[in-house]
Amino acid sequence: MRALLVAGLAPVQVDIVDESHKHAGHAGARDGRGHFRVRIVAAAFAGLAQVRRHQRVYAALGTMMQTDIHALALETRAPDEL
């Protein structure tokens, strides 16, 4: 996940927390896909609305969104928003 985000968005900061353990037994967890919280700071987000920022993250993650990720909580910021 980190490599895809770095390659796709060139962030200055990316923090990934796997929260899958909090969702044991949940329908999405049973098929092996995880629950993650991601904080990402990237110049690529400057001037974009939140929904567009999230779309950029989903695009960077590509097929992981269907194969490895069940839930993704995002905090997306441009460097000047810190």
Side-chain angles (χ1 to χ4, degrees):
M1 182 182 301
R2 181 177 304 279
L4 291 172
L5 292 171
V6 168
L9 298 167
V12 295
Q13 178 183 351
V14 61
D15 301 310
I16 301 169
V17 178
D18 184 348
E19 296 183 337
S20 299
H21 65 283
K22 296 180 181 179
H23 303 276
H26 180 269
R30 280 186 286 232
D31 65 4
R33 296 182 300 150
H35 291 70
F36 300 92
R37 180 169 303 279
V38 176
R39 180 176 195 271
I40 185 165
V41 180
F45 296 144
L48 297 180
Q50 183 178 12
V51 69
R52 186 69 185 116
R53 292 174 181 199
H54 288 199
Q55 290 169 338
R56 295 280 310 264
V57 172
Y58 303 148
L61 293 172
T63 59
M64 276 193 82
M65 291 299 298
Q66 289 80 41
T67 60
D68 298 277
I69 300 169
H70 174 72
L72 186 61
L74 293 173
E75 179 184 344
T76 54
R77 301 208 183 262
D80 65 342
E81 297 171 340
L82 294 178

